[in-house]
Amino acid sequence: PGDTQWYDMAAHCVRNGGTVQKLQYTIDQNPWYPKAGSVIPLAHKGIKNLQTQTDSLRLLVVPGYGKSCFLLYEDDGTSRNYDTEYAFTTIEKQESDKVIKLVVSPRKGTYAGAPQTRTLSIVLEGWTTAPSKVTVNGKKVDCDCSQTEKAVSDKAVSVNLPQIKAGEKTRIAIFR
């Protein structure tokens, strides 16, 4: 679409929609184009199947200023109760030159085995160094930062945060 910007995950740059471009990639590159500024849920590290429940919430933050929002659907992963026993979590993002702000709203709904806490990991696409500061609910936190595995991106930093409560609103600020 012409009125949208897209992020080239292979070239690590924003591209304008509504254009025709001839792009070349190596055989090792995987070109895909999420909407600039979006937040995309990822499977946890070491996933072996989609039926194993986890408390892991892993989010890919795609570069792009402004606001974005999505609903994360969750269920037990094994039963056929996906239409009656499920939950949603709203995740909002706002980005500027200096800070990325994320709000993870309380989980709404429930399902068998829903974890009460979450292990939260934020993958910052396009970053090559750790953030200067990270806050959770206004308090500075020490977090584990590392280069993301190449399967996700060869130019991203993972910020692994302390556990959060799934039933409470959590505000995260990541400073450049």
Side-chain angles (χ1 to χ4, degrees):
D3 60 346
T4 303
Q5 290 188 317
W6 303 92
Y7 189 79
D8 184 331
M9 291 292 291
H12 308 289
C13 65
V14 175
R15 300 195 184 277
N16 291 322
T19 64
V20 176
Q21 300 177 26
K22 183 178 180 180
L23 305 172
Q24 295 184 353
Y25 299 95
T26 68
I27 193 78
D28 295 330
Q29 292 177 309
N30 181 14
W32 56 288
Y33 306 91
K35 186 175 180 181
S38 60
V39 177
I40 301 170
L42 299 173
H44 62 90
K45 287 184 180 180
I47 187 171
K48 298 199 182 349
N49 63 57
L50 294 175
Q51 289 73 39
T52 303
Q53 288 190 5
T54 179
D55 73 343
S56 177
L57 178 58
R58 194 163 175 228
L59 303 172
L60 172 65
V61 176
V62 179
Y65 296 147
K67 295 180 182 182
S68 64
C69 179
F70 80 95
L71 287 175
L72 175 69
Y73 168 89
E74 302 171 87
D75 65 24
D76 68 11
T78 57
S79 74
R80 295 184 186 261
N81 298 331
Y82 54 84
D83 58 347
T84 58
E85 296 179 23
Y86 58 89
F88 285 106
T89 301
T90 301
I91 300 173
E92 301 169 83
K93 177 206 154 232
Q94 185 171 354
E95 183 173 350
S96 67
D97 285 337
K98 297 179 182 177
V99 64
I100 294 173
K101 295 179 181 179
L102 294 166
V103 177
V104 180
S105 293
R107 178 190 293 135
K108 291 186 180 180
T110 189
Y111 56 92
Q116 299 304 305
T117 60
R118 298 181 190 273
T119 302
L120 188 59
S121 178
I122 312 294
V123 178
L124 302 168
E125 169 57 31
W127 288 48
T128 56
T129 59
S132 63
K133 178 172 82 169
V134 177
T135 64
V136 175
N137 296 325
K139 296 179 183 174
K140 185 178 178 184
V141 295
D142 292 324
C143 53
D144 173 37
C145 296
S146 60
Q147 286 299 120
T148 302
E149 68 278 9
K150 200 168 182 127
V152 173
S153 173
D154 60 355
K155 189 176 180 184
V157 171
S158 288
V159 178
N160 302 306
L161 298 171
Q163 280 193 331
I164 63 171
K165 294 182 180 179
E168 296 179 8
K169 182 181 276 190
T170 303
R171 298 178 193 288
I172 302 145
I174 303 168
F175 296 85
R176 295 186 193 281

